[in-house]
Each structure stands twice: as C-alpha cells, then as structure tokens.
Amino acid sequence: MIIDCHGHYTVAPEPHRQFREAQLKWLDNPSLPDPVPTAISDDQIRETIEPNQLRLQQERGIDLALFSPRASAMAHHLGDERTALPWARKCNDLNKRVVDLYPDNFVGVCQLPQTTTTPIANSIHELERCVNELGFVGCNLNPDPSGGHWTSPPLTDRSWYPFFEKMIELDVPAMIHVSSTCNPNFHATGAHYINADTTAFMQFIQGDLFGDFPDLRIIIPHGGGAVPYHWGRYRGLADMLKRPPLDRHVMKNVFFDTCVYHQPGIDLLFDVIDIDNLLFGSEMVGAVRGIDPQTGHYFDDTKRYVDALPISKEDRHKVFELNARRAYPLLDAALRARGL
Amino acid sequence: MIIDCHGHYTVAPEPHRQFREAQLKWLDNPSLPDPVPTAISDDQIRETIEPNQLRLQQERGIDLALFSPRASAMAHHLGDERTALPWARKCNDLNKRVVDLYPDNFVGVCQLPQTTTTPIANSIHELERCVNELGFVGCNLNPDPSGGHWTSPPLTDRSWYPFFEKMIELDVPAMIHVSSTCNPNFHATGAHYINADTTAFMQFIQGDLFGDFPDLRIIIPHGGGAVPYHWGRYRGLADMLKRPPLDRHVMKNVFFDTCVYHQPGIDLLFDVIDIDNLLFGSEMVGAVRGIDPQTGHYFDDTKRYVDALPISKEDRHKVFELNARRAYPLLDAALRARGL
C-alpha cells in the first residue's frame, strides 16, 4: 500500500473560495450581512477531485492520501477569532465530504482555527471535533500564524503545551505547516514554507520539547526544509549547544516527508536521514504543478524518485506505508478496521 | 592557489567587543560619556589570528581568505545611525589591520552601517571608503537589518538600487549575509542564516534584478541555503511564475559558497549547480566549531569534502581560485599586481 502523507484540497470548488472572500469583506465592513456559505454539491466535489488528485493518484500508483485543506488558504494572519473558526470548520467539513465520497483514497487531516491574537488552546476544540466526530487522523500546525512576521513564540515555548497535550491524548501527530504570507520578502511556497521547516527543526534542537513530550510526533514537510542538506551543520550545532545527538534528541519524534522535487534531493534525503524517519509525500496538486523539462515528468511526482532509489523492499515498504501507520496511529487503526 | 571566499574575524580581541558593549550602553543611556575605543595592539591581533584562522588555513592548505568582520556582531538591529557607522568603521578598520599584518593570507570584505531606519544609500560612503581607501574587494549586504522581523523590502525593490549601482561602479560583489537575530523563533546560524539565503534566492526568481543589473554579482553563502537541495522546486517555481530558466534568469549573476558541513551536502551541491557558480568557502572559525565524530575532522573543514569529489583538475581550479577571481575582480587585480 502506498500512502501519500501530504495532500491538500488545493482545487476546492469556487463557492468555497467565495465564502472566504465574503468573510474577508465582512471583516473590512462588519455592517455587511454575515457571510453565508453557498451549497456545494457532491458533483462539484467530484468535478474537482477526479481530474486532479484522484487522477494523479491513479496514474502514479498511490493508494491513499492524508488530505488536509489547502495550506496557503488557511491564512491565519487574515481575520480574527470571529472568522478563523468558521473558516477552519468549513474547510474541514468540506474535506470530510471528500473523504466520505472517496473513503479508499483520502483520510482527513485538519486545519486549525489559529490566529495571531488567540492562544493555541482555542484550537483544541476543533482538533477534538475533527478527530472524534469527523474521523481525522492528524492536523496541520502553523508555527507562524502572522504570515511571515513570526510574532508567536517558538514551538518549544510552554504556551504551545496545552495543544501538544491534547495531541498526545488523541494520539494524533501534527505536520508543521505555515500558510500564505503577508510579508513581501517571502514567497509562500518558495521561501516561507521551506524556512518554516528549517526554523522548526532548529527550535527542536535548541529546546527539549521531546524530553517533555516523549510521545509527541511531528512531521516536518518539504523534505525537512534545508535540514538534510545541512545535516552536518545541525549535528555540529547540537554538539556546540551541548544537546544530545540528534538521533536521540529530535529524531525519535520527527519525520520528514519526501516533497523534494528532483532526484539528487531525494537521494540526499535517503542518504543522510534514517529510513524510519521518512514518510512518502508529494504535496500534489500543490506548490509546483509543472512538468520538468529535464525528465518529462511532473516535478511533484515524488514516487518516481523514490522508486529510483536502490533501497531494499523492506525500506520501501517503510517509507510508503509502515512509517505513516506508525506516525498516524488512527490511520493505522482505520486501515486495520478495513482489513488492510 | 586556494581562496576561501567566506571568513569572518570571529575572534577579535576583547577591547573590540567592549567598545560595542559601551556603544549599546550609551544608546540606553545617552548621558553616559561617548564610547571611546580602547587601543588594540598588533600583538593582540596576532594572538587571536595566529592560533585560529591562520593556523587552520595552514593546516588545511588554504592560501587566502576573503575576510570580513564577524557577521553575528554586525547586529544592524541594535542601535541606530549614531552607532551603526562608528561600529562598521571600527570593524572594517580592525579587519584592515589583519590584512596589513598578513597580506598574503587575508583580503578585506566590509561590513555596512545598515540600520532599520536609514536607507541603504547611507551605506554607500562606507563601501567607497573600504574599497577605495582600505583596498577591500567586496561587502556583506544584510537583507534583513531588523534581525529576524524582515521589515525591509525585498532585495529586488528599487530602494536597494542606489547601492547596487555603486557596487557595479566599484566592481565589487556582495555576499548576502544576515546577522544575529532578536526574534526568538530563529537561531542565528541554524535558522536565520539559512533562511535568508533561501529567501534571497527566491526573491531573485520572482524579480528581474539581473535584467536591470546584468553586471551585478551576488554570493549566496552557506551553500545557497536550502536552494540546491530543492533545485527541482526552484526550477519548477521559475516555470510556474513564467520566469526564464534559472541558468539565464539568476545563475549568470549568483554564486553559492561551499559552506555545507558534510560530504553528502557537498556532493549534492556539485551535482546540481554548475561548477562556474561555486566558490570555495569554509566560514571558519565560525558557525560550527566542533569535530564531527563521524569523520574525526572539523565540521567546517570544507576543503576535505571538495578534495573528495571526483571532479577534474580544471573544475577544482575553478572552485578553489578562478571563480573567486571572476566574482571579485579587485581581488584578481590585487593578486595579479603581486604576480599571482
């Protein structure tokens, strides 16, 4: 079985986007009527999923994707508590409909109603709802709800702890995932995403989050940002900061996905990172949608790169399936319940 | 000849640090007397350089380093116009003394008196002084003088153009180099440095800086941040953004150094980036000072990694010497004047 740990509903039907637009207009002018979602039909969902994610899954031989709302549209920096929760609920509910229409192909991962002004504890209820009522198996946690100004404390700060406690209680991991940015220095998918991955990893080196939460599981997407490429730097910094070696200090709790869009990058990832820490992911349809003129294949067809690796059948099985089932125990339970 | 394009005076004598400390105290309390630098003797400089940078150069077989003031101590976010210029001048003058004491081993690269509130044009005079009077051959340009809040416009914004015009007139390149950070999210050498490298590169993809300045030369240090590891992502993003291919759009003007502290990272760098865009660099004595238990050698002994590459003698000559002489024409001229 091949599980893609990193998929977003990037092609949601137009009325979904219109609801968000109405929300943002209402924020500018609260005398406008309350934004009301337009109905979205099952057919509208089918029309977006089937020619995109579902087609690509089938073409590439991927069985199942962990599927969350579009990351760039979370936009936690826009709006406040009044809009963040309705928007997150709407996004999660829409994703649940995708899962219900294609239960063999998608399993839900939720967006959180984070804002720059409310504590992360305010996201606990939506996490519980998504896990307990919608059957989702994980969440996307934004370390920078400000959208590129980085005004929140580091992930190792105790203010995040109530959320981590709830994650452990529910037995779900978080993918560290920022959203779009309002800082013109940072292109979202070309700089902000990658920087956030690198930043989170370095925070984990500096702190002792996994000493406090030995059962916490974190996925750092986009191949771990810059980390595997600079693995020597990070090993050396852990040493300079008198932290334990990375395999004990961080890598018992952290996974990297395979969203690295060329063969040399994937080769390096598998060369330096232990196989048990790698989850197959593609981020499709997502950041980079084109075809690589050097290969004639989609940049984000990461399965081709993994297929090309000279690794054992057992290791391939870990990356494609077993590690994801270990990182997401509720996914594993759901698959077992289906006899898988 | 082996030229290290990336060295900082990280071990400057204690009175130098004390002057900075006095400056910062004076900023807090301007009723204190004006900070006055304590004299630093030639012996004090020798005592710091000889057991550190000079010893390591000799042990590793490096002939010459492009040598700038300590990057983390630039701290453009601390102080204002009243302190930034005296601090930059003091740092550059001290570096000039290192160069004068060891003219065969060091060539100067300058710090700029940037602040968060003054235009970059205010740094032009110090650049001119360092190039025309001190014989320096390049500068370190900080894309984020705010120290991790990223409040300046992107490097492609026209507000930076007067400085780029002066760089071209003087025929000097800039290394993009942030300093320490006041944002607790970002460890300086583990996150902020690498993020800034990645960010600058993506800005160059989005903009058309080198269309406007075909003769501008930029060095992105630390192996180009995350860029080579995610080279497929960047090629794909350039395509999605309808920019020309990277080799024409960016890589005629941008160099990456080899400050990547393990063999697999260096292997990837040389695999994906054209040899003409690579400058040997070590950043020593700098970010990571320890010995890699996996190899028994210093993490930052990047020459070992380059030596281990299966590349031709001609390519090695480019990376160790010729590319640096091309990126820094004033270095080339100075070496030629010495018959080198």
Side-chain angles (χ1 to χ4, degrees), chain A residues 150 152 154 183-186 189-190 195 199 203 222-223 225 228-230 232-236 240 262 264-265 268 283 287 292, chain B residues 150 152 154 183-186 189-190 195 199 203 222-223 225 228-230 233-236 240 262 264-265 268 283 287 292 299:
Chain A
W150 292 90
S152 296
N183 186 326
N185 279 287
F186 303 124
T189 53
N195 292 350
T199 298
Q203 291 175 359
H222 319 109
Y229 175 49
H230 286 285
R233 174 175 285 252
Y234 292 101
R235 288 196 292 108
M240 271 178 81
H262 64 151
L268 176 132
E283 203 186 352
D292 186 344
Chain B
W150 291 91
S152 296
N183 187 326
N185 279 288
F186 304 125
T189 52
N195 292 350
T199 298
Q203 290 175 1
H222 320 109
Y229 175 48
H230 286 286
R233 174 175 285 253
Y234 292 102
R235 288 195 292 108
M240 272 178 81
H262 63 151
L268 176 132
E283 204 186 352
D292 186 345
F299 281 107

Side-chain angles (χ1 to χ4, degrees), chain A residues 49-60 298:
Chain A
I49 286 287
E50 291 188 5
N52 290 295
Q53 277 86 355
L54 200 64
R55 172 180 66 86
L56 291 170
Q57 276 189 7
Q58 285 161 354
E59 284 177 12
R60 299 178 187 180
Y298 286 106

Side-chain angles (χ1 to χ4, degrees), chain B residues 85-238:
Chain B
L85 183 59
W87 176 235
R89 284 184 70 108
K90 188 85 181 64
C91 290
N92 291 327
D93 288 346
L94 185 63
N95 260 46
K96 168 65 171 160
R97 292 181 60 195
V98 175
V99 171
D100 285 345
L101 284 170
Y102 305 98
D104 293 338
N105 302 97
F106 300 100
V107 169
V109 166
C110 72
Q111 169 176 335
L112 298 170
Q114 294 177 250
T115 77
T116 55
T117 51
T118 48
I120 187 66
N122 290 28
S123 291
I124 286 178
H125 182 74
E126 180 63 4
L127 177 68
E128 285 184 307
R129 186 184 79 91
C130 290
V131 174
N132 293 333
E133 298 176 26
L134 308 187
F136 285 16
V137 300
C139 62
N140 290 337
L141 182 65
N142 186 345
D144 174 32
S146 78
H149 291 287
W150 291 91
T151 53
S152 296
L155 290 167
T156 49
D157 187 88
R158 290 189 169 265
S159 58
W160 297 92
Y161 277 25
F163 191 80
F164 296 143
E165 285 161 7
K166 182 57 68 174
M167 282 170 54
I168 290 168
E169 182 194 318
L170 296 170
D171 209 9
V172 295
M175 179 176 280
I176 303 300
H177 209 307
V178 290
S179 182
S180 54
T181 162
C182 55
N183 187 326
N185 279 288
F186 304 125
H187 185 273
T189 52
H192 192 43
Y193 283 23
I194 305 293
N195 292 350
D197 305 332
T198 309
T199 298
F201 190 84
M202 190 64 214
Q203 290 175 1
F204 298 150
I205 293 180
Q206 290 179 269
D208 188 24
L209 187 61
F210 306 117
D212 287 347
F213 295 108
D215 296 327
L216 190 65
R217 293 179 307 281
I218 298 284
I219 294 96
I220 299 188
H222 320 109
V227 172
Y229 175 48
H230 286 286
W231 194 237
R233 174 175 285 253
Y234 292 102
R235 288 195 292 108
L237 283 169

Side-chain angles (χ1 to χ4, degrees), chain B residues 4 21 31-32 42 52 63 76 118 128 152 190 194 218 234 255 257 271 277 289 299 324 327:
Chain B
D4 182 344
E21 200 172 80
S31 71
L32 289 171
D42 285 354
N52 290 296
D63 295 295
H76 296 120
T118 48
E128 285 184 307
S152 296
I194 305 293
I218 298 284
Y234 292 102
F255 299 84
D257 76 14
D271 185 12
N277 296 92
R289 302 184 182 210
F299 281 107

